Amino acid sequence: MIQNYELFNPTRLIFGENRIEELSDFLPKNSNILLLYGQGSIKKNGIYDKVTNILKDFKYEEFGGIEPNPTYETLMKAVDLGKKENINFILAVGGGSVIDGAKFVAAAIPFDKGDPWNILKANAEVEISIPIGTILTLPATGSEMNRGAVISKASTKEKLAFLTEKSFPVFSILDISVLNSLPKRQIANGIVDAFIHTTEQYMTYPVNAVLQDRFAESIMKTLIEEGSEFYNNSENLEAGANLMFSATMALNGIISAGVPTDWSIHMIGHELTALYGIDHARTLAVILPALYLEKIDEKIDKLAQYAENVWGITHGSKKEKAINGIEKTEKFFNSLNVPTKLSKYNISLNSTAETIISKFKQRGINAIGENGIVKLEDITDILTTAWV
Ligand code: NZQ
Ligand code: ZN
């Protein structure tokens, strides 16, 4: 059952203490930089001052205000600025939203085949993308070392992804000092997002990819142990560093090499964010237990393996282990104050399921997950199970 694969990751990771101070070593000389950031956290925690102090020796423009779940509407303003100023390097300072936004801006500036939204909507090819570097401020998405970006269009309530090798950051600085100012909610979101990136690339069916499975299991165990420790004692930066590296490793291509992947939890989750603005990780936490319970027979081998190797559950039948493992996962998310029930959110169950199904239909999607095991009609059952 060997699956062929290629592994490619050109991003230089610059990890540890006081690494932002080395930024100028990694910026291309004579570049014309566009500094992108979010809605102000970097101005409060000192990162903005640190970075602009280094950038004063370079030619640069700045664009702030990129929102969580970055929108096409906001990013197109950065595209206009970038075009006007002829920028040739983008420095993203922020979490997944700013980095994803930078990937879109980098691809949209040179895009000459109409509206850059087509990169997301119509899979238009990204032939050229301006190189980007990042300073990650929130361990969660893995965007700092991968080729993906997720962009929302506010006017149509769409949230779509694009993937291209041109989007890999040239470098990403992971300086643990950024962890000091993280609100607990964002720490929890980061742990849950990274955890579910790992399950999306693991909880399918066995293909005897022993090393990939063990990589994934060790990422999940580290997130449970060190993520929880950092959530409860956020002055423990050694635990924070372990969380940070785990989140990057969870979605940089390594654990998906040669294994089937799922991604149905993310696909449904993105729709919940697009419709209701629920935090990305929080949508996933609601869908995961319900989807795994609904698809327990299809995923039984990996669910039982997960229960044993990640949670140490050795008693019972495969099914009992699987159920026990799902329950442990829910308790873990709840211990981070992340709800796992859809009814916690102020939304209507029936119309949500109908809307999501019709949005998938419009995009020509009939089934999601590994081997298309999640049919559109299953989405109603999954959301119903997720409700209480
Ligand atoms: O806007 P600012 O001021 O930067 O504040 C942010 C934002 O309010 C704040 N924050 C970030 N670093 C901070 C901080 N506050 C204090 N101290 C710091 N050091 O945290 C809030 C959330 O930031 P955001 O970037 O939105 O969070 P996250 O990193 O979780 O990114 C979520 C986005 O990434 C996408 C999601 O869909 C969502 O749009 N994803 C991207 C992926 C990828 N490119 O591979 C994969 C993921 O599955 C995900 O879909
Ligand atoms: Zn995610």
Side-chain angles (χ1 to χ4, degrees):
M1 276 209 277
I2 293 169
Q3 296 199 352
N4 295 350
Y5 61 87
E6 282 181 33
L7 197 53
F8 173 69
N9 196 311
T11 303
R12 180 188 304 275
L13 212 60
I14 303 150
F15 192 101
E17 288 180 290
N18 305 322
R19 302 308 306 260
I20 295 176
E21 283 77 347
E22 296 172 47
L23 171 64
S24 60
D25 296 348
F26 303 103
L27 290 169
K29 306 294 164 230
N30 305 317
S31 47
N32 191 8
I33 299 167
L34 178 60
L35 166 66
L36 295 180
Y37 54 92
Q39 296 191 316
S41 64
I42 65 164
K43 292 202 169 160
K44 290 190 205 122
N45 59 20
I47 299 173
Y48 175 84
D49 290 342
K50 250 189 218 175
V51 170
T52 49
N53 198 29
I54 295 168
L55 286 182
K56 68 181 183 331
D57 297 331
F58 291 79
K59 187 166 166 7
Y60 81 97
E61 297 292 329
E62 65 176 70
F63 181 93
I66 297 175
E67 57 280 81
N69 309 306
T71 65
Y72 162 81
E73 288 85 349
T74 299
L75 297 171
M76 285 308 286
K77 293 181 190 154
V79 171
D80 290 342
L81 176 66
K83 279 185 179 168
K84 189 168 129 253
E85 299 296 336
N86 250 323
I87 66 109
N88 59 16
F89 192 84
I90 294 178
L91 179 64
V93 184
S97 294
V98 173
I99 299 175
D100 283 7
K103 290 175 179 178
F104 176 74
V105 173
I109 290 176
F111 189 74
D112 60 3
K113 298 203 175 61
D115 183 352
W117 182 245
N118 284 332
I119 295 169
L120 294 127
K121 185 80 179 175
N123 267 327
E125 194 190 340
V126 175
E127 285 167 11
I128 312 168
S129 189
I130 292 168
I132 69 170
T134 88
I135 297 176
L136 179 71
T137 65
L138 166 48
T141 64
S143 187
E144 66 278 7
M145 201 179 183
N146 72 33
R147 65 194 172 109
V150 190
I151 308 297
S152 300
K153 195 170 191 180
S155 60
T156 53
K157 293 200 170 174
E158 286 169 290
K159 188 175 194 210
L160 303 175
F162 77 100
L163 296 166
T164 162
E165 284 187 0
K166 308 249 168 34
S167 288
F168 276 114
V170 182
F171 67 81
S172 281
I173 297 181
L174 275 61
D175 185 321
I176 56 170
S177 69
V178 304
L179 301 170
N180 285 318
S181 61
L182 279 175
K184 268 205 179 322
R185 181 188 183 93
Q186 297 306 337
I187 298 172
N189 283 354
I191 297 167
V192 169
D193 192 23
F195 195 89
I196 299 180
H197 292 160
T198 313
T199 69
E200 296 269 36
Q201 300 163 92
Y202 172 94
M203 214 70 82
T204 54
Y205 52 89
V207 292
N208 201 23
V210 176
L211 184 59
Q212 294 91 319
D213 280 1
R214 287 182 175 158
F215 277 152
E217 288 158 0
S218 62
I219 291 172
M220 292 188 277
K221 285 170 93 159
T222 310
L223 288 167
I224 294 165
E225 292 164 14
E226 298 292 284
S228 301
E229 166 61 21
F230 183 62
Y231 178 78
N232 292 313
N233 301 303
S234 39
E235 72 287 353
N236 182 347
L237 289 186
E238 287 181 11
N242 286 327
L243 161 62
M244 209 173 193
F245 191 40
S246 300
T248 303
M249 293 301 285
L251 194 50
N252 68 356
I254 287 184
I255 62 170
S256 62
V259 299
T261 56
D262 178 347
W263 294 113
S264 56
I265 298 171
H266 270 70
M267 289 191 70
I268 301 171
H270 286 332
E271 298 306 322
L272 291 175
T273 301
L275 290 170
Y276 307 113
I278 303 170
D279 293 358
H280 171 64
R282 284 162 195 262
T283 66
L284 309 177
V286 157
I287 302 300
L288 178 143
L291 192 141
Y292 288 171
L293 283 173
E294 287 293 320
K295 295 294 160 192
I296 198 160
D297 294 332
E298 291 85 343
K299 291 178 179 286
I300 190 77
D301 291 329
K302 288 307 276 289
L303 277 168
Q305 181 184 330
Y306 162 74
E308 275 185 43
N309 294 350
V310 175
W311 294 107
I313 298 163
T314 49
H315 292 293
S317 65
K318 270 190 182 177
K319 197 155 196 163
E320 283 163 344
K321 285 180 190 164
I323 292 170
N324 206 341
I326 296 169
E327 281 170 6
K328 291 261 188 214
T329 315
E330 261 196 275
K331 283 202 182 111
F332 168 50
F333 295 162
N334 294 158
S335 76
L336 304 169
N337 240 329
V338 174
T340 44
K341 298 296 171 208
L342 195 53
S343 52
K344 291 270 178 200
Y345 299 97
N346 189 18
I347 68 174
S348 140
L349 176 58
N350 289 339
S351 70
T352 301
E354 275 167 31
T355 311
I356 294 177
I357 291 169
S358 82
K359 283 192 155 204
F360 283 155
K361 273 190 191 151
Q362 279 164 24
R363 304 214 296 264
I365 298 167
N366 299 316
I368 54 179
E370 71 276 13
N371 296 334
I373 61 166
V374 180
K375 311 283 177 234
L376 293 192
E377 56 272 22
D378 295 333
I379 292 174
T380 309
D381 297 336
I382 291 165
L383 294 185
T384 307
T385 303
W387 191 253
V388 279

